[in-house]
Amino acid sequence: MRYITLIILLFSLTVHAQESKQFTIDGKIKNPTTLNLSNLKEFKSLSLDSMVVFNHLMQRKSSIKNIKGVLLKDVLSKIEIETASPKVLSEYYIVCTATDNYKVVFSWNELFNSETGKHVMILTAFDANPVKNEKGNIALISPTDEATGRRFVKGLSKITILQVN
């Protein structure tokens, strides 16, 4: 009986760890901000029919369908960075963290000065493999990455903007 209770507890924590209804943006910015699904409706919406999620070995792990979201770049462009000069923005990087503490990193230039930035999405809705319980109302993905699963943040909870020391 004790083992069954432990298994149920661990399963419920796993499912809960991937759900996200809001996320915060903090770090070297003037005003830390919390955004939710309603706030994200203010941004231009994008849609993708589907995409395959590959792991670091380029093995197919899953697929997501009916993808809706907004560009990470559009959201971050509304955030006021603590810097004396735009030239210094080349020293900044963005850490996107999931509710289970999984983290991915983008450089400022990668998002605002390369083709990648035109595709990195904060997902507001998507259909995933129901067996894996990949629900999470808010997620993040970089669709142009080859190993798309490496920067697939299910249950986005925080975006931190930092400067290299």
Side-chain angles (χ1 to χ4, degrees):
M1 182 65 174
R2 189 180 325 177
Y3 294 112
I4 293 173
T5 305
L6 182 61
I7 289 170
I8 291 170
L9 178 62
L10 288 174
F11 178 73
S12 67
L13 288 173
T14 302
V15 171
H16 178 68
Q18 294 181 6
E19 294 178 1
S20 174
K21 304 222 183 268
Q22 67 180 24
F23 63 93
T24 59
I25 302 175
D26 64 11
K28 294 198 65 151
I29 63 175
K30 296 200 175 173
N31 297 309
T33 305
T34 299
L35 296 172
N36 58 37
L37 290 170
S38 295
N39 301 129
L40 293 174
K41 289 179 182 175
E42 298 171 12
F43 295 92
K44 179 183 175 189
S45 180
L46 302 171
S47 297
L48 296 172
D49 288 332
S50 65
M51 66 179 287
V52 176
V53 178
F54 292 100
N55 69 7
H56 65 289
L57 299 173
M58 294 307 296
Q59 298 167 331
R60 184 181 205 263
K61 296 313 272 179
S62 65
S63 65
I64 55 176
K65 300 175 182 167
N66 303 318
I67 304 162
K68 290 184 177 35
V70 300
L71 289 179
L72 174 60
K73 173 179 163 174
D74 289 350
V75 172
L76 294 180
S77 69
K78 302 292 184 192
I79 302 299
E80 200 172 348
I81 307 291
E82 288 181 356
T83 182
S85 164
K87 182 170 124 177
V88 182
L89 288 173
S90 293
E91 299 176 6
Y92 282 75
Y93 62 99
I94 294 90
V95 180
C96 302
T97 307
T99 55
D100 64 359
N101 211 32
Y102 181 73
K103 294 179 178 142
V104 301
V105 177
F106 295 92
S107 72
W108 186 264
N109 278 324
E110 184 179 16
L111 292 176
F112 288 90
N113 195 26
S114 80
E115 189 66 25
T116 300
K118 297 176 184 175
H119 303 281
V120 178
M121 293 174 64
I122 296 173
L123 306 181
T124 56
F126 63 97
D127 298 333
N129 183 348
V131 175
K132 292 189 175 186
N133 292 314
E134 294 175 348
K135 296 177 189 174
N137 297 67
I138 300 176
L140 180 133
I141 198 160
S142 181
T144 56
D145 287 358
E146 290 181 17
T148 48
R150 303 304 300 156
R151 293 201 284 191
F152 184 14
V153 179
K154 296 168 262 182
L156 179 64
S157 67
K158 183 166 65 167
I159 296 173
T160 305
I161 300 172
L162 299 168
Q163 184 178 12
V164 176
N165 295 332

